[in-house]
Amino acid sequence: MPEDELEDLPGVGPATADKLVENGFESYQSIAVASPGEMSNTADIGESSASDIINAARDAADVGGFETGATVLERRQEIGKLSWQIDEVDDLLGGGIETQSITEVYGEFGSGKSQVTHQMAVNVQLSKENGGLEGGCIFVDSEDTFRPERIDDMVRGLDDEILADEMERREIEGTPGSEEAMEELIDAFLDQIHVAKAFNSNHQILLAEKAKELAGEHEEGEWPIRIVCVDSLTAHFRAEYVGRGELAERQQKLNKHLHDLMRIGDLFNTAILVTNQVASNPDSYFGDPTQAIGGNILGHASTFRIYLRKSKGNKRIVRLVDAPNLADGEAVMRVQGEGLKPE
């Protein structure tokens, strides 16, 4: 949106419009879904003025009102489904990972959470006919888990028909059997994965804001951002806020971070995929004592919750724990050198 259109809002002159754009409030919709406190803090605008600007933007953008179920259904037709390339898991998830939603994957160390984020960073770039979303990936790395070598392995692990389609889409000469063509294709995949390492929780929160800016920059381009992966969501928060005395502050910051991520999903039709650590519940005498950390804040914010559990060898149990419109259930997959594969 050109800056001069923001000046149509009451109380927004050229200087205020510049401040809004610099801080990511580039459209009526992004202003309409902000809070007065957030705008006041980030754009250095008085809270009363921010409230007036937000209300005017809500009227102009026509958000915040009621709509019929039929209208909601029509809008949901825009939601994309990102395939795992594993039929059993896709069936469990109703077609795959949804855009405009937060999908949480939790499990103990070595269960394959990071493998899922790497695989989705590849799968999201595939054509829609092949289960992808024809878009790029933002990867927020808080545990130093991102490895371009894994992307290399997973691209090579794609079916030959999919590889041939991708080479044609990206105008790469050659066949999947040509090492030179494969290396060019792998570089093309890596070019559409935007990685940032988060050094602490505050930096991680800042990176979510930067991710929103990056998604906005790419929205009209050839490769719009269609997935944001955060691996892991909770590691820094868990390490920095220790003990019950700091629990409330931790949960408050985590809540804000989740809402920032959800806003990216809503504004740009993007899937949000986060991994989560677990803790063992010593009070559990029956069943699996493993519990996801993050408490009710994360439980309520996540639209889909998936529990990854180790099985024999490279087998993993994918258990759907919570979803608004799907039954709980389990599927089996393998974590192999060439990526996630059917049993």
Side-chain angles (χ1 to χ4, degrees):
M1 162 178 279
E3 290 178 32
D4 58 355
E5 289 189 31
L6 295 184
E7 294 176 35
D8 293 340
L9 298 172
V12 179
T16 303
D18 288 340
K19 285 181 185 178
L20 290 170
V21 172
E22 285 171 11
N23 289 278
F25 300 106
E26 299 174 343
S27 66
Y28 288 159
Q29 187 173 5
S30 61
I31 293 172
V33 297
S35 68
E38 176 191 8
M39 183 177 288
S40 177
N41 291 332
T42 57
D44 193 25
I45 298 170
E47 197 157 329
S48 177
S49 299
S51 181
D52 292 339
I53 293 169
I54 289 169
N55 287 332
R58 286 174 179 170
D59 291 338
D62 192 25
V63 298
F66 290 95
E67 54 191 6
T68 66
T71 304
V72 173
L73 179 62
E74 184 178 345
R75 193 176 68 250
R76 280 188 60 80
Q77 306 304 318
E78 300 173 7
I79 289 177
K81 296 272 192 175
L82 174 57
S83 171
W84 288 52
Q85 301 295 322
I86 302 169
D87 290 343
E88 192 178 352
V89 178
D90 285 342
D91 290 343
L92 179 69
L93 299 178
I97 293 176
E98 275 194 6
T99 60
Q100 300 181 35
S101 297
I102 294 179
T103 298
E104 173 199 357
V105 177
Y106 70 90
E108 63 183 13
F109 173 78
S111 58
K113 302 184 298 295
S114 295
Q115 304 301 317
V116 173
T117 56
H118 281 70
Q119 188 71 65
M120 295 310 143
V122 171
N123 292 1
V124 74
Q125 300 184 44
L126 304 179
S127 68
K128 292 178 181 177
E129 292 78 10
N130 288 322
L133 297 175
E134 300 177 9
C137 168
I138 291 175
F139 198 110
V140 178
D141 182 3
S142 72
E143 294 190 281
D144 195 26
T145 53
F146 181 77
R147 295 292 183 271
E149 297 86 355
R150 281 303 282 148
I151 302 299
D152 185 312
D153 295 338
M154 288 173 172
V155 172
R156 293 177 186 274
L158 294 170
D159 292 342
D160 283 347
E161 287 185 12
I162 293 178
L163 288 172
D165 288 347
E166 289 302 308
M167 287 179 177
E168 184 178 349
R169 284 180 62 224
R170 298 168 196 249
E171 299 179 351
I172 295 172
E173 295 183 3
T175 65
S178 164
E179 182 60 26
E180 185 177 348
M182 279 301 301
E183 288 182 1
E184 188 177 348
L185 180 63
I186 290 161
D187 286 343
F189 270 89
L190 286 168
D191 281 344
Q192 302 309 326
I193 304 173
H194 310 271
V195 185
K197 185 173 179 179
F199 295 102
N200 53 50
S201 61
N202 286 328
H203 186 215
Q204 187 172 321
I205 290 169
L206 175 64
L207 287 176
E209 297 171 5
K210 295 293 183 185
K212 186 175 115 179
E213 294 176 16
L214 188 60
E217 291 169 8
H218 285 77
E219 183 60 17
E220 301 301 326
E222 185 180 356
W223 292 94
I225 301 299
R226 286 293 174 258
I227 192 168
V228 175
C229 298
V230 184
D231 187 21
S232 88
L233 178 76
T234 48
H236 286 315
F237 292 92
R238 189 182 194 183
E240 294 167 24
Y241 297 91
V242 181
R244 290 187 177 275
E246 298 190 28
L247 181 61
E249 185 180 358
R250 183 190 83 173
Q251 293 302 87
Q252 188 176 20
K253 279 199 166 185
L254 186 58
N255 191 31
K256 180 190 182 304
H257 185 40
L258 286 163
H259 278 79
D260 288 344
L261 292 170
M262 193 63 251
R263 188 172 301 170
I264 300 171
D266 288 338
L267 291 175
F268 303 108
N269 194 24
T270 300
I272 309 297
L273 174 63
V274 302
T275 66
N276 188 15
Q277 297 181 343
V278 296
S280 184
N281 179 10
D283 297 330
S284 177
Y285 294 102
F286 302 99
D288 192 339
T290 305
Q291 290 184 332
I293 70 169
N296 290 330
I297 292 288
L298 184 50
H300 290 308
S302 300
T303 313
F304 300 91
R305 302 193 88 182
I306 298 170
Y307 175 30
L308 282 187
R309 193 170 75 248
K310 293 179 183 177
S311 186
K312 292 181 180 179
N314 60 9
K315 282 187 183 180
R316 297 295 183 271
I317 309 299
V318 182
R319 182 183 173 201
L320 181 63
V321 176
D322 187 36
N325 61 332
L326 299 170
D328 296 352
E330 293 184 349
V332 181
M333 69 177 185
R334 292 183 182 272
V335 178
Q336 300 184 169
E338 59 269 28
L340 307 183
K341 297 296 177 183
E343 184 186 4

